[in-house]
Amino acid sequence: GKQQYAQAHIPGAQNIDMEQQLAGAKSAHGGRHPLPGAVEFGETMRQSGIGDTTLVIAYDDNRLAGAARLWWLLQYFGHKNIRILDGGFKAWTEKGYMTSSQCPNPQQGRFEAVASPGQIRNYQWLRGHLQDTDLQLIDSREAPRYQGLEDPQDPVAGQIPVPLHRPQHG
């Protein structure tokens, strides 16, 4: 992340770290990247120059996982003016567009993070609703992880029962 950003990024882009800024403190059931608090997330966005009306274009060089995470968090915390760069940084560089190693120093934005808790469900809720006919659970991991054959990130491979498998493409 930080090393790749320091070498080359789209001019004017800010580096936001998945582990440190797009995730909260870990707990027993929060997953690998728990939801950050509104205060911390809002401060990260303000320091990145994002205001309540700023158009944010998110991209990364990791199959857009970080960009999707930022998109979702901004939506969750009330910011609707966000897009994801089609193809990410890889597509940008393949088209020969300009990159930079300069780290911009943005003016602080005026971003107020207001959580939308109705957008999330915890594992207890999910366990109680797996059989609901109007619920569709989707697993977007690669096939070997979904099938429980291997998991390079989690200590135990497997899946929640009944999800529809729609792997990420990119």
Side-chain angles (χ1 to χ4, degrees):
K2 284 185 183 181
Q3 290 176 335
Q4 290 172 311
Y5 172 81
Q7 291 172 355
H9 54 268
I10 296 174
Q14 293 292 308
N15 182 47
I16 299 178
D17 184 84
M18 172 84 92
E19 304 298 325
Q20 301 299 315
Q21 297 167 298
L22 298 183
K26 294 186 180 189
S27 65
H29 296 289
R32 189 177 308 106
H33 298 106
L35 195 62
V39 171
E40 296 81 10
F41 185 76
E43 182 61 21
T44 294
M45 295 302 103
R46 286 189 294 279
Q47 292 298 319
S48 298
I50 298 171
D52 289 330
T53 60
T54 304
L55 171 60
V56 177
I57 309 286
Y59 73 91
D60 64 36
D61 201 14
N62 184 22
R63 297 182 338 235
L64 297 176
R69 173 76 175 189
L70 177 59
W71 175 85
W72 184 81
L73 284 171
L74 281 165
Q75 293 280 322
Y76 176 77
F77 285 113
H79 190 81
K80 305 300 183 205
N81 201 10
I82 179 162
R83 308 294 182 270
I84 294 180
L85 180 62
D86 188 16
F89 189 64
K90 180 179 178 184
W92 180 270
T93 58
E94 285 176 352
K95 292 182 186 300
Y97 296 145
M98 188 170 74
T99 63
S100 175
S101 61
Q102 300 279 22
C103 297
N105 190 13
Q107 287 188 325
Q108 182 160 324
R110 297 178 64 109
F111 182 86
E112 182 181 351
V114 179
S116 303
Q119 290 187 23
I120 61 172
R121 296 290 183 254
N122 64 28
Y123 74 98
Q124 292 122 333
W125 182 93
L126 182 58
R127 286 179 61 199
H129 290 82
L130 282 174
Q131 302 307 317
D132 288 2
T133 57
D134 61 344
L135 170 72
Q136 182 59 64
L137 184 63
I138 299 175
D139 189 324
S140 63
R141 297 172 301 157
E142 291 90 356
R145 291 183 70 199
Y146 171 79
Q147 294 164 354
L149 302 175
E150 64 181 53
D151 199 317
Q153 296 180 350
D154 294 315
V156 178
Q159 61 172 285
I160 297 171
V162 307
L164 179 64
H165 185 224
R166 292 291 184 259
Q168 300 171 1
H169 298 285

